[in-house]
Amino acid sequence: MAVVGMNGVSFVGPRNEIEEVALNCLRYENFEPMKPDVMLEHYPLNQRFETFKGNRYDALMEKLDELWKRSGVQAPNPKIVSRLPLLHFEDLAERVGVVTRVMDEWRTNLAELQDEREKCRVRLSFILALSEIGYKFSELSNTPYVAITVGTLTKENWHRLHETSLAAPFLPIQLDPVGYEKDKEIDTDTDMWADNVMVALLYGHSYREDMQKILSSVHMRVVQFDKSEYEKYENVDAAHYQLETVESEIELCLNTPARYVADNRMELEKLYAAVYTKQRVESLWRYHAEMGDVYILSGWMPVDACLWMKKLIVEKMPKTMMITEKDHVLQKEGREIPTLLHNLPFIRRFQEIVRLYSLPSYGELDPTFVVALSFCFFFGFMFGDVGHGIALILGTMLLEKKGLMGSAIASVMKTSGVFAMLFGLLYGSVFGNEELIAPLWLSPMHSVDSILPVSIGVGVAFLSLGICFKIENSARRGEWGEAFFSPEGLIGLVFYWLAVGQTAVLMGSDPADALNQQFFTVVMATLFAIMIFGNGVSKLLFHGEKVDDGGVVHVFSVFHAMLNFLSNTASFVRLAAFALNHAGLCGAVFMLSEMVENVPGGKIYHAIVMVIGQLIVIGLEGMIVFIQTLRLEYYEFFGKFYRGGGREFAPVLWKR
Amino acid sequence: MASLGGGAIAGSAKAKARRGTLLSSEEMTALLEQKTVPEIVDRLRGRSFDVFLSRLSADNIRRGELEFLLDVSILAEGLIFRPYADAQDRKLLDLWLESFDIDLIKNFIRSLVGGQFEHVSADNALELVSEFKLTLVDQDRLLSAHSLREVIMSIKKESLRSALSAALPSAYENLSSDDVDFDRAEFQKTIFDLVMTIDRFYLNALYDAVKDMSGQAGRMMHMIVGVRVDLTNLYWIYRARRFFGLSPEEALTLILRARYHADFDTLTKFAFAEPDAMASVLADTIYSGIFEFNEDDNKNVALREMKLESRVSKMLLSTAERVFISGSDGFQNVLAYLILKEFEIRDITAVMESVRYGFDKNQTAMFLIRTLSSLEKEMN
């Protein structure tokens, strides 16, 4: 239940040792880099170092990733290569260069083959179009009046060409493309011909020069035929055969990266691990600075990790200096310290609920622990049913498995399901049936008088906790006036408790136990007056403490806070209301199913109504209860104390 | 679009209110009287671009940086209206703001072959308007591109990518600034083709988004984009015929797929007319006079072309102003405001340009898109 303490650290030392530091930071994933000039602005060396940004290894990684992607083999899961000083950028770049040359050659071959395939397709489409109107391909080798050009162009360019033909002496004909059915998936990264339109153009020989210019404007890829081809592909089968031959060659070519990886796997995996490690290290020190041969690396690190790193540096990196800046010093300077939450595994899953609202700022109380317990409690209270709890868990597992629900929210839902089951046992409810098991506590429908005060009592306790948190947060920030005199401070809490206590006693069995009315009024008025004049009192007692609001605004905000005490407390009636609602809805489903039981085939209708009804209760009411629970957390509870707005600690991770 | 939602009315009201924050004629005239760029910057402090201008160091203002920051401020202005837009309007606004992606890609292509545009400025721009996300292009891939092909491959929309791939001859695929002969005509044509392909893609998409919109607001948005489409088509044909010596048919292959008032028939007649007779083709259209020049104009080609550019811009400006004058509410006011803002920035840039060349205020006023009533009064 804490925001982890964070220090600003800078490591200054020779490159090889700083690489070791970086490797260790990567290994434990506990370092968020920042610019050294920010951290070291008070030190005289600030003026003399050069800072850098960028990662030379990104380009190398990209090339290697491309190879693995094209090979269809999953990229290796590299381990940290610890002998970093032996790996120089130039050496690695040269080794990656070999891979790049292989890939470039492959890409060129593939592009040539794809061009050839396109030519074959255009030729075949054209031959087939000609044969449909009774012409032979060879008859076009020598046309005295009409010139014919075939080729492909994009749809957009086809539109422009077609429109231009209305104002120019040429006839464009769109061909039915042949041979595309074999394309399983168009890879537009390599296949420039993908998704184009195939056309034949007829025009007079005298217009040839103008036509060439127009074709150049619309970027048509013209397929030229020489004389030998006219004879060679006279027969459609020959054209088909040629296309199939090229397609087989493409198939072979596509397998080249896979073959290359298979033949050189060991060496490629080593190279991948080395480049990967260097890439991650450079990513970690992307803001590093250099001062001659000395490297400077700055960033944020959890306090525990700082101690451990300091020990490691003393033992293994004697030439490196570690400069630590304490959090309170950095906070005073106005630096935004990142937030890292640390909670027990069960509680951790509820961090997502807190994060959904806003991450606590550094130094603020982390409410995750309370949120975890209260969320489960509220959800179970409103959705208590053994059967529905089980269904909720199973449904969540299914959605999670299908990837329709994130694991963080799924964990919250499953835990909520467990609490729904527990409260189901307390209410004695299984799929809305309250006769199967006896309630361990009460049945909401039959004990309205008991469950209502409990829900209000829970609200009072929860809101009081919120106010306590506010007092603690204010004290941490040194805002003592706020902690004591604000409506959500100590005075406000006493005012609230007195009001609640007096109301409870007056409404209870023995009103005579209530405080004397006059005494009560005087005390409450005094407390109220302290809150009204809280700003002034704070200034007097805590010498110049800043206050948020001006006088009039403050008075209104106190009245507003008083109203909030009332409305926030009343808001918790929803705990009981939804517990009743749940029982009521289930009752309605039972009634409906019984109504259809007497019609022909009634048993089937009964079952159908039951199943659909239960699904609606689980789906619809489950969702509403989830939202209501969030509301109680965010509005009633967080509204009392929480500021949020923290920036998440973002260490450089080993995994990219 | 038939009935206006609360968001559209709020956005419209905001656009009208922000229109009031544009530089008045007197303020623009006062800018013309400044002698140096820092003085102009000082005059502009306290305006909506202050947050951008504050990034400049007072004693070392670089013109390129200043212009760039002013351009980014248009993007920031556009984003202000996003929360007020419903789904359809938001889509249109995002498309409108895609012009920033478009400019970035074009600048990148130019920088790659000319080395004039600093890659880092793209980073800076995106830092300034952190809520803006490039949608047309993969930012990381673009920023790390070293060849024209890599720039093209960084584009996310396949239709644009394949259009650009088609416009890129394989001979130039891997060229970067290290190995380019910039003076080669075929290379210049490649760059020209790529840039035009990008513009065509953007304007066609914009027109497709508004052409079927109904109601008063839809018609107005159709008009705003439509006039721009028509003027682009006419202007491209004019330049292709007059300056690049293209045949009428070739000129027609350059234009957009989109048409507003100037249909293909009009454009064909315009393309087939001799350059000096082009204006007569448009005599009966709303574009009459734009391409009309007297003998004096034709004696000074540079001045004639400046006049033409100014007329085209003034026509777009008056279209945007007509939207406000109509008084109707709707998202069209947002688009109209963004046009006015863009032209205000272009005028400011022109004023800075004039300071560099030492023009006086009357000469500078000729280059401005807006007509300065206060200056006219002064002259009278």
Side-chain angles (χ1 to χ4, degrees):
Chain A
M1 184 185 166
V3 175
V4 175
M6 200 67 67
N7 282 339
V9 290
S10 292
F11 303 99
V12 184
R15 181 191 171 111
N16 61 337
E17 288 198 4
I18 296 295
E19 268 190 345
E20 277 302 310
V21 170
L23 267 184
N24 280 294
C25 291
L26 259 182
R27 194 168 279 134
Y28 297 101
E29 301 185 334
N30 56 12
F31 183 83
E32 181 189 319
M34 66 187 290
K35 290 178 182 167
D37 41 359
V38 175
M39 193 62 80
L40 299 175
E41 65 177 10
H42 302 308
Y43 292 82
L45 59 146
N46 182 31
Q47 300 303 318
R48 289 184 282 131
F49 59 62
E50 285 180 80
T51 50
F52 298 86
K53 191 182 169 189
N55 192 332
R56 294 173 299 168
Y57 292 90
D58 282 348
L60 302 189
M61 268 326 290
E62 208 176 290
K63 304 281 182 201
L64 292 176
D65 283 337
E66 161 87 1
L67 172 69
W68 291 96
K69 183 184 156 199
R70 293 288 169 202
S71 70
V73 182
Q74 187 157 7
N77 190 10
K79 299 264 185 312
I80 288 181
V81 176
S82 49
R83 296 168 71 194
L84 272 187
L86 302 178
L87 303 170
H88 296 292
F89 175 77
E90 289 72 21
D91 297 341
L92 290 173
E94 197 180 318
R95 285 163 67 188
V96 173
V98 175
V99 175
T100 309
R101 278 192 289 282
V102 170
M103 291 302 289
D104 286 347
E105 202 177 309
W106 166 74
R107 211 177 283 109
T108 309
N109 286 342
L110 185 62
E112 279 172 10
L113 284 167
Q114 281 167 339
D115 280 1
E116 184 57 31
R117 176 175 64 183
E118 198 60 21
K119 191 176 171 183
C120 290
R121 283 171 171 172
V122 172
R123 185 166 44 214
L124 184 57
S125 306
F126 188 47
I127 291 172
L128 287 171
L130 284 174
S131 68
E132 274 180 26
I133 53 169
Y135 274 92
K136 287 183 177 174
F137 194 38
S138 58
E139 287 177 56
L140 301 177
S141 62
N142 192 15
T143 48
Y145 305 111
V146 179
I148 299 174
T149 299
V150 290
T152 59
L153 71 177
T154 62
K155 282 177 185 161
E156 181 77 26
N157 288 337
W158 160 244
H159 181 93
R160 286 159 58 209
L161 180 71
H162 190 258
E163 200 175 39
T164 306
S165 72
L166 301 174
F170 68 88
L171 179 67
I173 301 165
Q174 190 173 354
L175 298 174
D176 277 341
V178 178
Y180 285 89
E181 54 281 355
K182 283 190 181 172
D183 282 1
K184 288 170 203 146
E185 195 180 311
I186 293 167
D187 183 349
T188 48
D189 264 16
T190 59
D191 195 349
M192 302 275 287
W193 297 94
D195 203 23
N196 280 350
V197 176
M198 214 175 262
V199 287
L201 298 160
L202 282 76
Y203 50 91
H205 280 299
S206 59
Y207 197 65
R208 182 181 294 272
E209 205 177 313
D210 289 322
M211 194 69 233
Q212 295 310 320
K213 287 180 186 168
I214 291 172
L215 295 186
S216 162
S217 293
V218 293
H219 313 300
M220 176 157 149
R221 286 172 180 254
V222 174
V223 176
Q224 305 279 6
F225 302 124
D226 56 41
K227 288 215 166 176
S228 65
E229 282 178 311
Y230 283 113
E231 285 161 22
K232 191 175 170 187
Y233 300 112
E234 176 70 35
N235 184 343
V236 175
D237 291 341
H240 265 299
Y241 178 74
Q242 179 63 17
L243 176 60
E244 279 165 15
T245 308
V246 176
E247 271 171 350
S248 328
E249 284 176 32
I250 288 176
E251 198 73 27
L252 266 177
C253 185
L254 284 170
N255 288 330
T256 304
R259 281 200 304 276
Y260 181 74
V261 167
D263 293 346
N264 304 281
R265 182 138 197 163
M266 287 272 278
E267 198 186 325
L268 285 170
E269 280 186 357
K270 276 185 194 167
L271 178 63
Y272 191 85
V275 176
Y276 191 99
T277 306
K278 289 292 247 186
Q279 195 273 346
R280 296 320 293 147
V281 166
E282 284 230 350
S283 189
L284 190 133
W285 72 20
R286 61 183 177 270
Y287 296 124
H288 83 279
E290 288 178 29
M291 202 168 51
D293 296 332
V294 174
Y295 270 51
I296 303 165
L297 179 62
S298 292
W300 299 106
M301 211 173 201
V303 173
D304 287 354
C306 288
L307 298 173
W308 158 82
M309 182 58 89
K310 199 158 220 164
K311 202 174 153 200
L312 193 75
I313 283 175
V314 170
E315 284 171 8
K316 295 191 174 170
M317 293 152 232
K319 293 176 192 160
T320 297
M321 177 172 64
M322 180 173 167
I323 303 167
T324 308
E325 299 265 11
K326 298 282 183 200
D327 53 357
H328 59 269
V329 178
L330 294 166
Q331 255 181 333
K332 269 188 191 164
E333 288 175 1
R335 303 243 184 276
E336 188 191 17
I337 304 178
T339 303
L340 171 66
L341 301 181
H342 180 70
N343 285 296
L344 296 169
F346 164 74
I347 305 295
R348 206 171 295 152
R349 61 187 68 179
F350 287 87
Q351 284 177 188
E352 199 55 36
I353 297 288
V354 176
R355 196 176 281 126
L356 209 62
Y357 185 88
S358 178
L359 203 65
S361 56
Y362 188 80
E364 194 173 8
L365 261 177
D366 171 17
T368 311
F369 182 78
V370 176
V371 167
L373 297 184
S374 57
F375 193 96
C376 296
F377 180 82
F378 294 156
F379 191 90
F381 202 109
M382 290 188 272
F383 197 69
D385 190 294
V386 178
H388 292 162
I390 293 170
L392 190 66
I393 294 169
L394 294 176
T396 303
M397 285 165 77
L398 186 71
L399 291 175
E400 191 184 8
K401 197 177 172 187
K402 286 191 176 289
L404 298 171
M405 191 182 276
S407 61
I409 293 294
S411 298
V412 170
M413 291 305 291
K414 281 186 272 187
T415 315
S416 304
V418 171
F419 273 75
M421 287 166 61
L422 292 176
F423 271 85
L425 291 173
L426 293 176
Y427 296 158
S429 172
V430 183
F431 287 113
N433 188 329
E434 297 189 350
E435 288 163 10
L436 285 176
I437 54 172
L440 296 177
W441 177 34
L442 52 77
S443 161
M445 275 308 237
H446 301 108
S447 316
V448 178
D449 289 348
S450 307
I451 200 166
L452 266 174
V454 171
S455 64
I456 296 282
V458 168
V460 170
F462 198 51
L463 292 175
S464 302
L465 191 62
I467 297 171
C468 291
F469 277 20
K470 167 75 186 262
I471 294 168
E472 166 73 12
N473 273 339
S474 301
R476 284 181 179 203
R477 286 192 289 267
E479 295 167 357
W480 295 104
E482 187 79 7
F484 284 115
F485 307 123
S486 75
E488 285 100 9
L490 193 59
I491 298 293
L493 185 61
V494 175
F495 182 94
Y496 179 55
W497 279 348
L498 275 174
V500 169
Q502 183 77 346
T503 311
V505 175
L506 286 173
M507 292 174 73
S509 54
D510 195 359
D513 290 342
L515 289 172
N516 175 284
Q517 195 57 40
Q518 281 178 337
F519 173 71
F520 176 75
T521 309
V522 169
V523 171
M524 294 297 272
T526 311
L527 292 173
F528 187 75
I530 295 174
M531 284 189 276
I532 289 284
F533 297 107
N535 275 356
V537 179
S538 300
K539 277 186 187 171
L540 272 178
L541 288 178
F542 304 110
H543 301 295
E545 184 177 311
K546 279 187 182 172
V547 289
D548 287 342
D549 307 320
V552 178
V553 177
H554 179 72
V555 171
F556 277 104
S557 70
V558 172
F559 276 106
H560 182 244
M562 297 299 105
L563 285 174
N564 273 350
F565 279 143
L566 187 66
S567 64
N568 291 159
T569 309
S571 192
F572 280 84
V573 171
R574 77 187 65 226
L575 287 178
F578 276 94
L580 288 167
N581 177 47
H582 183 79
L585 265 177
C586 292
V589 171
F590 279 107
M591 276 171 63
L592 278 173
S593 62
E594 278 163 18
M595 280 165 71
V596 295
E597 203 166 9
N598 294 328
V599 300
K603 293 277 180 203
I604 296 169
Y605 290 125
H606 174 88
I608 291 172
V609 170
M610 277 300 278
V611 170
I612 293 175
Q614 295 289 345
L615 286 176
I616 289 173
V617 170
I618 297 165
L620 191 67
E621 215 214 332
M623 192 173 70
I624 293 170
V625 165
F626 187 83
I627 292 167
Q628 294 300 331
T629 309
L630 276 183
R631 186 217 139 93
L632 289 175
E633 298 288 349
Y634 289 162
Y635 187 70
E636 322 299 347
F637 185 52
F638 281 22
K640 287 273 168 283
F641 70 97
Y642 197 63
R643 284 192 183 174
R647 179 178 70 78
E648 187 152 22
F649 176 61
V652 175
L653 306 176
W654 171 245
K655 202 166 183 175
R656 281 184 298 161
Chain B
M1 296 301 301
S3 63
L4 289 177
I9 291 170
S12 172
K14 195 168 183 73
K16 287 177 180 174
R18 288 195 83 81
R19 186 184 171 217
T21 67
L22 294 173
L23 291 175
S24 66
S25 178
E26 288 75 19
E27 285 169 319
M28 190 58 93
T29 309
L31 276 191
L32 293 179
E33 283 159 1
Q34 307 310 307
K35 300 279 180 256
T36 62
V37 173
E39 280 176 23
I40 295 171
V41 172
D42 256 359
R43 276 264 162 191
L44 294 172
R45 298 232 187 254
R47 319 289 313 190
S48 58
F49 8 78
D50 212 17
V51 62
F52 300 96
L53 296 182
S54 63
R55 294 176 75 97
L56 296 168
S57 74
D59 45 355
N60 182 26
I61 294 171
R62 286 181 295 154
R63 210 186 90 258
E65 194 183 0
L66 175 63
E67 285 173 10
F68 178 71
L69 287 169
L70 290 174
D71 283 346
V72 175
S73 74
I74 302 175
L75 181 64
E77 286 283 328
L79 291 171
I80 291 172
F81 296 97
R82 215 169 172 278
Y84 302 102
D86 63 19
Q88 189 183 10
D89 292 337
R90 192 175 304 140
K91 210 171 151 191
L92 180 62
L93 181 63
D94 288 348
L95 193 58
W96 187 276
L97 297 180
E98 231 171 48
S99 65
F100 188 80
D101 296 51
I102 292 288
D103 285 343
L104 198 61
I105 300 168
K106 288 198 292 191
N107 279 334
F108 226 90
I109 289 174
R110 291 191 191 110
S111 81
L112 207 59
V113 296
Q116 297 148 348
F117 175 76
E118 287 176 31
H119 289 194
V120 71
S121 53
D123 273 343
N124 285 343
L126 297 167
E127 271 174 29
L128 281 169
V129 278
S130 55
E131 64 273 42
F132 177 72
K133 295 279 172 286
L134 294 169
T135 50
L136 197 56
V137 71
D138 180 328
Q139 187 188 337
D140 292 338
R141 247 180 126 173
L142 179 71
L143 295 182
S144 61
H146 291 99
S147 68
L148 290 174
R149 183 162 172 75
E150 282 174 3
V151 172
I152 292 172
M153 285 307 152
S154 71
I155 292 165
K156 289 182 194 164
K157 283 205 176 143
E158 209 213 306
S159 50
L160 177 59
R161 205 169 56 222
S162 77
L164 286 173
S165 296
L168 179 68
S170 55
Y172 292 117
E173 276 182 12
N174 297 314
L175 286 184
S176 65
S177 54
D178 301 332
D179 47 11
V180 169
D181 178 2
F182 300 116
D183 298 329
R184 285 174 66 181
E186 53 195 306
F187 175 71
Q188 288 300 330
K189 185 180 176 306
T190 298
I191 299 303
F192 174 75
D193 280 351
L194 290 176
V195 170
M196 282 200 80
T197 301
I198 294 169
D199 284 336
R200 259 197 303 267
F201 168 83
Y202 175 66
L203 288 169
N204 280 333
L206 203 56
Y207 190 75
D208 286 345
V210 296
K211 68 179 180 193
D212 295 325
M213 283 184 169
S214 57
Q216 169 84 341
R219 276 195 298 280
M220 292 271 183
M221 286 195 257
H222 192 181
M223 178 182 75
I224 289 172
V225 181
V227 169
R228 189 170 163 191
V229 158
D230 279 351
L231 287 172
T232 304
N233 281 335
L234 292 167
Y235 189 61
W236 281 359
I237 291 175
Y238 169 83
R239 286 185 69 80
R241 296 281 289 123
R242 198 184 264 280
F243 293 107
F244 302 119
L246 302 189
S247 67
E249 298 95 314
E250 274 181 278
L252 286 172
T253 61
L254 297 180
I255 58 176
L256 306 170
R257 171 168 42 79
R259 313 269 180 270
Y260 183 53
H261 285 323
D263 56 15
F264 187 70
D265 193 36
T266 308
L267 295 173
T268 305
K269 284 178 190 156
F270 189 72
F272 276 87
E274 283 305 313
D276 288 335
M278 282 176 157
S280 62
V281 176
L282 303 174
D284 297 331
T285 70
I286 56 168
Y287 308 112
S288 74
I290 289 185
F291 293 88
E292 212 166 280
F293 305 106
N294 58 32
E295 277 181 20
D296 286 344
D297 292 335
N298 285 328
K299 279 179 196 158
N300 186 340
V301 175
L303 200 67
R304 183 189 67 200
E305 293 311 306
M306 270 172 56
K307 227 175 193 179
L308 173 59
E309 272 186 44
S310 168
R311 284 174 187 169
V312 168
S313 302
K314 278 180 194 291
M315 174 104 198
L316 292 170
L317 184 81
S318 71
T319 308
E321 276 168 348
R322 269 176 61 196
V323 169
F324 280 112
I325 291 165
S326 78
S328 56
D329 275 324
F331 209 70
Q332 72 277 15
N333 289 313
V334 172
L335 299 190
Y337 167 71
L338 291 176
I339 292 174
L340 297 184
K341 188 75 194 170
E342 186 187 336
F343 285 148
E344 179 185 81
I345 298 287
R346 274 171 55 183
D347 277 347
I348 292 171
T349 312
V351 172
M352 288 174 186
E353 198 76 20
S354 303
V355 166
R356 259 183 74 203
Y357 292 111
F359 294 150
D360 68 26
K361 66 177 179 183
N362 294 330
Q363 285 171 312
T364 309
M366 281 172 57
F367 306 127
L368 300 187
I369 299 165
R370 67 193 289 183
T371 309
L372 298 179
S373 51
S374 55
L375 195 67
E376 277 178 357
K377 272 185 213 161
E378 220 175 88
M379 285 167 76
N380 292 333

